[in-house]
Amino acid sequence: MRQPQPSTRSCWPRARSMRSYAPAVSWILVAPAIAILAIGFLYPLLRLIMLSLSAGPSATYGRLLREPLYATVLASSIVTAVSVTFACIVLGYPVALAMARLRKRAAALTTACVLIPLWTSVLIRSYAWIVLLQRNGLINSLLIAEGLTQGPIKLLYTQGAVILAMTHVLLPFAILPIFSILRAVPNDYVRAAHSLGAGKVKAFFLVTLPLSLPGVFAGAILCFVLALGFYITPALVGGPESMMMASLIGQQTTVLLDWPFAAALSTVLLAITLLIVVAFRKSLSFSKGLSSVY
Amino acid sequence: MIGQALTLSRLRKSYGDIVAVNQTDLEIEAGEFVSIVGPSGSGKTSLLTLIAGFEPPSSGAIRIGDKDITYLPPYLRDIGMVFQKYALFPHLTVRQNIAFPLKMRRRAAKSTIAKRVEDMLELVQLPQYGDRYPSQLSGGQQQRVAVARALVFDPPVILMDEPLGALDKKLREAMQIEIKRIQERLGATVIYVTHDQEEALTLSDRVAVMHHGSLQQIGTPAELYRRPSCAFVADFIGAMNFVPGILVGREDGKHVIQVAEGIVLKATGGGRLAIPSKGSAVCLAIRPEHIRLAPRENNAAGMLAGTVEASIFVGPTQILLIRPEALPDVVLRVQMPADQIAGLERGALVAVAFDEAMLQAFPARESLAA
Ligand SMILES: Nc1ncnc2c1ncn2[C@@H]1O[C@H](COP(=O)(O)OP(=O)(O)OP(=O)(O)O)[C@@H](O)[C@H]1O
Ligand SMILES: [Mg+2]
């Protein structure tokens, strides 16, 4: 008698639960990481907080509150980080979608285009923007040659330049998580949507996009956290009015040598970053369905 | 009655050198339940993919009713599909999943949609699960939601790709009955793909057998069982014994076949393939229940002496594996009521006789079924 062959059913890739290991094994496995974190991160962090309090809280945290400059810089840093994150997601999503849908060779090519800038130094990419944006740079020369402007316009050392250059640097961090999620979403969902009567646009907005949101959020958090602490790019292409927290901290440490105050600024930046990330994650748990899929 | 007829003509699909579906003709009546069975890689899913419109065919045509839909995009086809892994949208609740096709069509008002969804939940017996997410349901419940979602917009044709493949035997059988019940109530035309020939025989009005991208035969379960058109179908549907032999002549419209030194049997020509000329190799096919057994001492003329190699308990009947002395390469499978096998233990000497009216001959080369 012919028996039906048991077919090999591959499941949707899903993170395996670690519960199958004995607790002792788990602890041994994470011990090195914990040790490195403790020595290289937690201990310095503790020292940082102690340092910020060493001159008395009113001299550091009090000053932070008293002088409006610091709140202004903090606010503008957050605005910049949010703008950059937004731009990265809006520009990155279509790229990720194309990468996920293209055939082999074209996909490899786009992936290379995304990854090669990532492997290039941030310093080089920031200088490249200076070359492009400066008074007699490529863009201004072009504008003047075309007769679109009379004289060179100020592009460099503006908030816009900071957002542009940072978006360029951080774009891969938005693209890659979205891409990997889009790749993992089985084709059957889109097909199911089509068979149920959803056209291409509806299938995208009702199925593909919601299913890829975890990737969007991962990319957004990554971009936001990196952008908030960005140092080199804003320092090179930004002006005084687009100063970011990281530059301010750098100034206090290396120029003014006010280490307790620099420590206080760092602590506040860290706390705010954590707060925003946690708030973001909370607002994310909107869908039970999604969280159980990934 | 919402079902509509489905016609495939000369439908073909190839992926490069691989021919997934080969020149397939198929006519399915409105409201009919047709199963497609076949071994892995035989092109079952590819055929459904073409009917659903997810891939364009290389050539040929598909019609629903009298409308040609060959190049219509899938979202305009009105075909319900139940996917092998259900493909329920994980970010939507059960209710939202079922309402999805209704919202896409904008045919009905909100309240009508809600009513329809509740009716559907009732039909698949999940009325209290509407607000759950698919991941919070068992496999069988997800399956029922998938069926509900494919049926809710009254599609004239429903495709199911191994919808019960992931379920255990008990649940499978319960779901088979449920699917059949729903289909009969709604009168939809169903094409049901399965690996499991038993499932196909239970559910279907007609069964189509696929092999290497081609439809080998389509017919009622009884037709396939009694009159297989080729050795592949004979082997694939139900259990079948094959005995190799040589065609030595013809007599009264029957083939005379020599299976061993001095043993000659008469068989009808099975199926559509003509048996080649005298002297060529053929194979004889006979069902386990068409072999009779007798104790060795009553050995009459025309019976083959053999030894019982194994006796397998399968509930109401018993299966005996017997090796005839004259045919050392053949193990015959014999099925008989459990109360008639007294004394037929392993090693018992027996005589077997074929019910000649049930013997069918097929050309030998195609008997090597997958
Ligand atoms: N997208 C594709 N590209 C190339 N070859 C394909 C593609 N889809 C299917 N095939 C090939 O077509 C043949 C039929 O595949 P199909 O999936 O239809 O088989 P099946 O009968 O559904 O098998 P199973 O029972 O294992 O699901 C196989 O040889 C398969 O490798
Ligand atoms: Mg298949």
Side-chain angles (χ1 to χ4, degrees), chain B residues 7-12 23-26 59-63 70:
Chain B
T7 315
L8 310 181
S9 28
R10 320 282 320 139
L11 199 64
R12 195 186 123 88
Q23 305 289 14
T24 298
D25 287 302
L26 182 59
S59 63
I62 308 167
R63 275 182 294 134
T70 314

Side-chain angles (χ1 to χ4, degrees), chain B residues 41 44-46 84 161-162 193 195:
Chain B
K44 307 182 294 293
T45 300
S46 304
Q84 193 165 341
D161 192 357
E162 299 194 41
V193 163
H195 256 97

